[in-house]
Amino acid sequence: TLALEAQREAMFLSEIKLTPVEGKVGESTLQSYAEYYDYYTKLGAKDYSGKPIRIQAAYPSATSDNTIYATNDRTSAITQPQDAALVLMNTLGGDGGEKWQTFGQWVRYSVTVPESGFYNIVLRFKQSVLEGTFSSRTLRVKLASAEEAVVPFDEAYNLQFNYSDDWQVNGLNAGKGEDGKIQTFRIYLEKGTNDLEFEASFGNMADILKRVSASMTTVNDIYIKILRITGATPDSNRDYGFYDIMRDDVDELSRQAEELFDLAKEFEEVTGSVGSHAKTLETVARLLEKMGAKESNIAKNLGNLKSNLGTLGTWLQTSMSQPLQLDFIQLQDPNSKSKPDAVEGFFGALWY
């Protein structure tokens, strides 16, 4: 039984469509990249070896929101098109990606390719908002002969775009693998017009964000229970008898401290860096550890707990944003060692 319960506002429902999640390799959204590549290789697919095909990202064929639109970037002389005197719409996503950062927002590009085969899809992008971590995108591909776009393989749910103050150029990848290396994905396209769709997602951060949100909710509920006992201005010298009144909740503070310490470690492993994001989780965890270890520490640290809950809420909101700014998308020979320039050279910058 599938039930939908109305919460607020009216809604018209025209259709509910159930589709299988399993199917032939190349059509399923749950196959690994290795299986996807092997499937098309056995069908005789070869690497594209022709001239690069470039799409200007400022002009997608469709977007999910009218808030995603072409903007002007003057931070780089090689952003295309560019003019020292004129204001040209040359990128999509806003400054550092601030206008394309909400979960579920997508942009679609139609590209006509001269032959079927594997293509290396290279993007010139900028992600200068989420310091110490990455933005994520899900890739969907609609082949020339297909009726709808699908996620071609499991790793395509987790495409990563790392932080930098400057522009970057990279092929599609899901970050470092277990071997510590980054694998660039070869995407199979058919001769004719194909669609490439990039959707803002949480990627490899999804589980961490979900658990941080659950931890914050649990701690906030305990904070409210403590407030009912102490009032808004607790007396740090008074014995409130927390162990007698709410021992399970006090023990839960210690458990949540362990959870946040674990999440901070996982965050560092996923992002590959020790930044302020992980340190925020550790700071909150240390406070919870202190309050859970000794009953007398609860009332005197209640103000700090309130402040830390606010900080954790801000952390969660910031981490859930997925900013990305695009200049162009280039389809090229997967075996080519040449990539477009990410930043201009000295004389190019001087001229600009």
Side-chain angles (χ1 to χ4, degrees):
T1 301
L2 179 65
L4 300 177
E5 181 180 349
Q7 296 292 332
R8 63 176 185 176
E9 306 299 337
M11 182 184 76
F12 292 98
L13 187 65
S14 66
E15 180 184 28
I16 296 178
K17 184 178 180 181
L18 303 179
T19 58
V21 296
E22 295 183 357
K24 294 185 294 183
V25 178
E27 297 178 357
S28 168
T29 59
L30 296 178
Q31 303 302 318
S32 70
Y33 172 70
E35 291 171 317
Y36 164 83
Y37 182 76
D38 183 60
Y39 172 77
Y40 281 110
T41 299
K42 288 181 178 178
L43 290 180
K46 304 295 183 181
D47 290 338
Y48 171 72
S49 58
K51 295 180 179 180
I53 303 167
R54 182 168 295 187
I55 310 167
Q56 293 302 325
Y59 301 103
S61 56
T63 66
S64 61
D65 298 70
N66 57 14
T67 56
I68 307 174
Y69 51 83
T71 56
N72 171 251
D73 173 76
R74 302 184 70 89
T75 64
S76 171
I78 61 174
T79 299
Q80 298 180 349
Q82 188 65 278
D83 191 282
L86 302 177
V87 176
L88 302 177
M89 299 298 102
N90 52 13
T91 64
L92 186 89
D95 185 17
E98 61 179 0
K99 295 187 181 300
W100 182 25
Q101 63 179 348
T102 304
F103 177 83
Q105 288 184 323
W106 53 262
V107 297
R108 181 185 302 143
Y109 296 94
S110 295
V111 56
T112 301
V113 297
E115 61 185 63
S116 298
F118 290 111
Y119 290 77
N120 184 15
I121 301 178
V122 176
L123 289 80
R124 184 171 188 257
F125 68 92
K126 192 174 188 181
Q127 194 283 95
S128 58
V129 179
L130 294 180
E131 185 174 359
T133 182
F134 53 81
S135 286
S136 298
R137 290 296 181 272
T138 293
L139 171 69
R140 289 185 174 85
V141 178
K142 179 181 177 296
L143 298 176
S145 64
E147 295 183 357
E148 60 181 357
V150 298
V151 180
F153 45 87
D154 192 47
E155 292 89 337
Y157 281 108
N158 307 315
L159 302 182
Q160 292 186 11
F161 299 87
N162 293 327
Y163 170 85
S164 175
D165 284 331
D166 221 330
W167 285 92
Q168 303 177 68
V169 170
N170 278 316
L172 300 181
N173 68 85
K176 293 182 179 179
E178 295 181 357
D179 59 358
K181 298 180 180 179
I182 294 177
Q183 181 180 33
T184 299
F185 302 130
R186 302 181 182 204
I187 306 301
Y188 178 80
L189 299 176
E190 291 179 342
K191 180 180 179 180
T193 302
N194 302 258
D195 288 344
L196 303 175
E197 187 174 295
F198 297 91
E199 179 181 327
S201 63
F202 297 140
N204 291 325
M205 292 291 294
D207 182 61
I208 293 176
L209 295 175
K210 179 181 178 180
R211 288 164 59 192
V212 170
S213 179
S215 180
M216 184 177 70
T217 299
T218 299
V219 175
N220 189 65
D221 289 344
I222 296 173
Y223 168 74
I224 292 174
K225 290 180 181 179
I226 296 173
L227 273 183
R228 290 171 181 165
I229 298 172
T230 65
T233 54
D235 184 352
S236 59
N237 296 316
R238 178 180 171 181
D239 181 6
Y240 288 96
F242 292 115
Y243 282 170
D244 296 329
I245 301 173
M246 49 184 300
R247 182 58 189 260
D248 289 343
D249 291 313
V250 175
D251 291 340
E252 185 62 33
L253 291 176
S254 297
R255 285 191 288 271
Q256 291 304 317
E258 293 178 5
E259 171 75 347
L260 289 177
F261 276 128
D262 289 343
L263 286 168
K265 184 177 179 181
E266 289 180 29
F267 187 92
E268 292 178 357
E269 291 174 351
V270 169
T271 61
S273 64
V274 181
S276 59
H277 279 65
K279 294 302 180 183
T280 297
L281 297 179
E282 291 177 351
T283 298
V284 179
R286 280 192 290 271
L287 177 62
L288 296 179
E289 184 180 50
K290 182 178 181 180
M291 295 176 69
K294 196 172 181 181
E295 183 182 17
S296 59
N297 288 334
I298 296 177
K300 67 177 65 175
N301 285 288
L302 199 57
N304 292 333
L305 180 59
K306 178 182 179 181
S307 176
N308 275 253
L309 282 170
T311 301
L312 195 59
T314 301
W315 182 96
L316 190 61
Q317 183 178 19
T318 301
S319 299
M320 290 177 70
S321 67
Q322 300 294 319
L324 187 65
Q325 183 178 13
L326 296 181
D327 176 18
F328 61 75
I329 301 170
Q330 181 165 299
L331 283 64
Q332 64 181 49
D333 179 354
N335 298 303
S336 174
K337 296 182 180 179
S338 174
K339 288 197 304 184
D341 292 332
V343 296
E344 65 273 31
F346 172 77
F347 291 106
L350 184 64
W351 173 86
Y352 181 66

